[in-house]
Amino acid sequence: MPTQTFENLNEEKKKQIFNALLNEFSAYKLSESQVARIIKNCGIARGSFYKYFNNINDSYIYALDTVLHEVHFDVFEQIKKENDNTLNAFYEATLKFINEIDNSKYRNFYKLYIEYNQYDLKQSNYDYHKLSKDNLILLVDGQNLSDTSKIIAIYKFVTMASHATIKDILMDADKEQTLSDFKIYLQVIKNGLID
């Protein structure tokens, strides 16, 4: 994450640096990115870059967090709004994210993230065990499932399917077919939960 020195910069300078990071990480994998190109693009000295970020990975994480803050939205809020089938909320959240990222200036950035950079960063998966029971909601045909272990397992599986759907679409798979497949996966899961 950026240092306090970076946080103290005016908004215009921060935006200029972010845009340089976005340009670099939209054109090159993290492993091929260069501080030299970034500083040239935003017109800062190499020493200044290292006053703002510990290293290039640190600057990448800042750029990623900024992109996700602008494009991503809280799936748990979507889940709380769903009155009948929680899996619909995952579909709607995935669809919204795909539409926002696919038609944005962040498409190439995120495509490189899911294709390469997430593995270079070695980020761990979200730990659903840390969620409060209030956020572990699983409705199937209006019925609330209460088995926490089952809910967590379903959330993990659906999250993996959602990420695979996003990746396939950003890798130029047929969008309509890929979303249709995702909807079928969710229906199969739902059918398996109905006793």
Side-chain angles (χ1 to χ4, degrees):
M1 292 309 295
T3 65
Q4 190 59 48
T5 304
F6 178 84
E7 296 298 339
N8 291 336
L9 293 173
N10 65 52
E11 290 304 313
E12 186 176 320
K13 189 66 173 176
K14 284 195 243 185
K15 187 175 181 179
Q16 181 181 358
I17 293 168
F18 169 73
N19 286 333
L21 295 172
L22 183 62
N23 289 340
E24 182 70 12
F25 299 134
S26 294
Y28 300 95
K29 298 187 295 188
L30 179 57
S31 62
E32 297 171 354
S33 296
Q34 296 178 3
V35 171
R37 284 191 298 258
I38 295 168
I39 63 175
K40 182 178 179 184
N41 194 337
C42 66
I44 62 171
R46 181 175 283 275
S48 294
F49 179 88
Y50 290 106
K51 285 183 183 176
Y52 303 149
F53 305 101
N54 291 327
N55 52 42
I56 199 162
N57 284 17
D58 195 34
S59 72
Y60 183 85
I61 291 168
Y62 163 72
L64 177 63
D65 286 348
T66 303
V67 167
L68 290 179
H69 179 73
E70 288 193 32
V71 178
H72 210 263
F73 77 102
D74 190 352
V75 70
F76 299 111
E77 286 302 313
Q78 188 82 19
I79 288 170
K80 288 177 184 176
K81 293 177 188 174
E82 178 61 49
N83 296 320
D84 186 54
N85 181 6
T86 301
L87 299 178
N88 289 340
F90 278 97
Y91 180 83
E92 292 301 322
T94 302
L95 179 62
K96 182 173 184 195
F97 182 78
I98 288 167
N99 288 335
E100 287 188 23
I101 202 79
D102 204 28
N103 299 311
S104 78
K105 65 182 179 180
Y106 305 127
R107 187 184 196 285
N108 287 339
F109 176 93
Y110 200 75
K111 180 179 179 183
L112 286 175
Y113 169 72
I114 61 167
E115 191 174 6
Y116 303 106
N117 297 335
Q118 66 179 330
Y119 307 109
D120 289 345
L121 293 174
K122 297 180 176 122
Q123 291 182 315
S124 59
N125 291 328
Y126 186 82
D127 186 359
Y128 289 110
H129 293 279
K130 293 181 180 179
L131 279 177
S132 71
K133 289 197 180 212
D134 294 341
N135 284 326
L136 286 170
I137 301 166
L138 187 56
L139 295 169
V140 178
D141 291 339
Q143 296 179 16
N144 193 9
L145 276 71
S146 59
D147 183 338
T148 302
S149 298
K150 187 181 274 190
I151 295 169
I152 290 171
I154 297 301
Y155 275 27
K156 285 180 178 180
F157 184 76
V158 172
T159 299
M160 287 187 289
S162 172
H163 289 171
T165 299
I166 293 166
K167 181 177 182 179
D168 288 350
I169 289 171
L170 290 179
M171 299 304 294
D172 300 319
D174 181 274
K175 185 175 181 177
E176 190 175 315
Q177 182 62 56
T178 303
L179 287 169
S180 175
D181 291 346
F182 182 48
K183 195 173 265 191
I184 292 169
Y185 299 152
L186 296 175
Q187 186 63 44
V188 168
I189 293 168
K190 178 184 168 204
N191 293 345
L193 292 171
I194 298 170
D195 294 327

